[in-house]
Amino acid sequence: MSVVVVRSVGGGKICGGVGLVVERSVDVRLKTDIMCELVEDIQLKTKEFLHPNPASRAKMSAVKGIGKLSGQAKASTYPQPEGVLGEALTSYGKRLDELGQDNLYATSLVEMGESMKQIADIKYNLDDNMKMNFLEPLHTLATKDIKEVQHHRKKLQGRRLDFDCKKRKKDKGGSHVTDEEIKMAEDKFAESLHLAQMGMHNLLENDVEQISQLATFSENLLDYHRQCTEILEVLAGTIHDKKNEAASRPRNDFVPKTLSELGVTDTLNGGLPSTNVTASFTDSSIAAQILCL
C-alpha cells in the first residue's frame, strides 16, 4: 500500500522528504506486486518446461486428485518423450534382429533406443532436482511469505478505511464516534502499516537466496545438457560406424521367384490354378511360402 504519515507540530506540517517517502512507498508496492505475479507465473512456466505435454500433465493432475480424494498418495510419473521414443526404437530393433541375418539396421535401432532411454533417465533426474531445489522454494515463498504479506496489505486497506471513516465522521460533528475509538482505529492502522511494510521489505530483500535458486536451476540444466551431449556423441560415432560397415558389405543379388516355382499354379493346366485337389495348395500354405521367400 502507498501510505504516507504526516505528523503535525504546532499547527504546521512536517513535509520535508514527503516526496521521497511517497516515491519509495509506491516503488516497494509495485515491486511487491511484480514479485507476487512472478512467483506464480514462473512456477507454472517451469512445470510446462519440464512437462511440455498438456495431456500428460492433465492426466497426472487427475491421478493426484483421485489419490487425495481416496486418501491415498498416488504418484504418477510423467512419460518423458525421449523414453517413449527409446522404447519404440528398441522394440522394433529387437523384432528385426530376431529374424537373424546380422541386420545392421536392427542393431542401430537398438543402440539409438538405448541412448534415448538413457537421456530420459537423466531428464528424470533433472525433473527431481528442479522440483526440490527450485519449484519447492518458490511454492514455499508463495504459500508462506507472499501469502502473509498479502494478508497484511489487505488488512491495512481495511483498517485505513475504518480510520478515515471514523475521523471524517468526527470532523463533521454530530457523530457518536469518541476520541478513544479514533485512537484505537489509528493504533490498528499503524500496526498494520508496520507489518505490511516489514513484510514487503523482507520479501524484496532476499536476493541472495533467490539468486542461489536461479544458479542451481542453471547448473542443473547445464549438467543435463552436458550428459546428453556425451551420450549423443557416443551414439553418433556408433551409428556412423554401422553406416560405413553397411556400405562396405557386398549387395546380394536377388531373383524373385515365380508362382510356378512356388507351386501356386499348375503349368500343365495352361497356367491356370489347378482343379486337382491333391495338387492345389490352401491359401494359408501359399501365404506361408510367399512369406518365407
Side-chain angles (χ1 to χ4, degrees), residues 39 43 46-47 50 127-144 209 213:
V39 169
Q43 285 186 88
T46 303
K47 291 175 182 177
L50 294 172
D127 197 348
D128 293 338
N129 289 332
M130 288 294 195
K131 287 178 181 177
M132 181 172 61
N133 299 317
F134 188 71
L135 285 175
E136 286 186 6
L138 283 180
H139 178 71
T140 301
L141 184 65
T143 56
K144 185 179 178 183
E209 182 178 349
Q213 293 165 10

Side-chain angles (χ1 to χ4, degrees), residues 96-134:
L96 285 175
D97 194 49
E98 288 173 357
L99 300 177
Q101 300 180 352
D102 192 18
N103 193 320
L104 288 174
Y105 180 56
T107 55
S108 298
L109 286 172
V110 173
E111 289 282 353
M112 180 165 280
E114 293 298 331
S115 296
M116 296 304 293
K117 288 194 286 185
Q118 289 179 40
I119 292 175
D121 290 338
I122 298 171
K123 203 166 185 181
Y124 281 123
N125 291 333
L126 172 68
D127 197 348
D128 293 338
N129 289 332
M130 288 294 195
K131 287 178 181 177
M132 181 172 61
N133 299 317
F134 188 71

Side-chain angles (χ1 to χ4, degrees), residues 51-227:
H51 304 151
N53 190 324
S56 296
R57 289 201 309 270
K59 184 177 179 180
M60 290 173 63
S61 298
V63 171
K64 186 177 180 181
I66 293 172
K68 285 183 178 181
L69 291 174
S70 62
Q72 299 176 354
K74 293 185 178 180
S76 178
T77 304
Y78 179 83
Q80 300 293 352
E82 295 86 352
V84 175
L85 175 59
E87 286 290 348
L89 290 167
T90 303
S91 175
Y92 284 111
K94 289 180 177 179
R95 288 172 62 183
L96 285 175
D97 194 49
E98 288 173 357
L99 300 177
Q101 300 180 352
D102 192 18
N103 193 320
L104 288 174
Y105 180 56
T107 55
S108 298
L109 286 172
V110 173
E111 289 282 353
M112 180 165 280
E114 293 298 331
S115 296
M116 296 304 293
K117 288 194 286 185
Q118 289 179 40
I119 292 175
D121 290 338
I122 298 171
K123 203 166 185 181
Y124 281 123
N125 291 333
L126 172 68
D127 197 348
D128 293 338
N129 289 332
M130 288 294 195
K131 287 178 181 177
M132 181 172 61
N133 299 317
F134 188 71
L135 285 175
E136 286 186 6
L138 283 180
H139 178 71
T140 301
L141 184 65
T143 56
K144 185 179 178 183
D145 297 345
I146 289 180
K147 186 177 181 180
E148 184 177 349
V149 168
Q150 296 293 62
H151 168 73
H152 288 309
R153 291 178 69 183
K154 185 176 181 181
K155 203 169 185 179
L156 171 63
Q157 179 70 8
R159 287 182 170 181
R160 181 186 69 81
L161 292 173
D162 181 61
F163 172 68
D164 287 346
C165 180
K166 289 180 178 179
K167 193 170 184 304
R168 188 165 54 251
K169 287 181 179 180
K170 180 68 175 178
D171 293 340
K172 286 183 178 181
S175 173
H176 298 292
V177 179
T178 64
D179 291 339
E180 183 179 354
E181 288 176 327
I182 294 178
K183 182 63 170 62
M184 185 178 298
E186 183 181 2
D187 289 344
K188 288 183 178 180
F189 179 30
E191 178 190 19
S192 290
L193 175 63
H194 174 76
L195 292 174
Q197 290 181 119
M198 289 303 300
M200 290 188 290
H201 172 78
N202 293 334
L203 178 65
L204 298 175
E205 295 296 322
N206 200 20
D207 287 353
V208 174
E209 182 178 349
Q210 290 161 357
I211 294 175
S212 296
Q213 293 165 10
L214 289 177
T216 302
F217 186 113
S218 60
E219 289 166 3
N220 288 336
L221 200 56
L222 176 61
D223 189 49
Y224 162 74
H225 284 291
R226 183 185 292 118
Q227 293 182 65

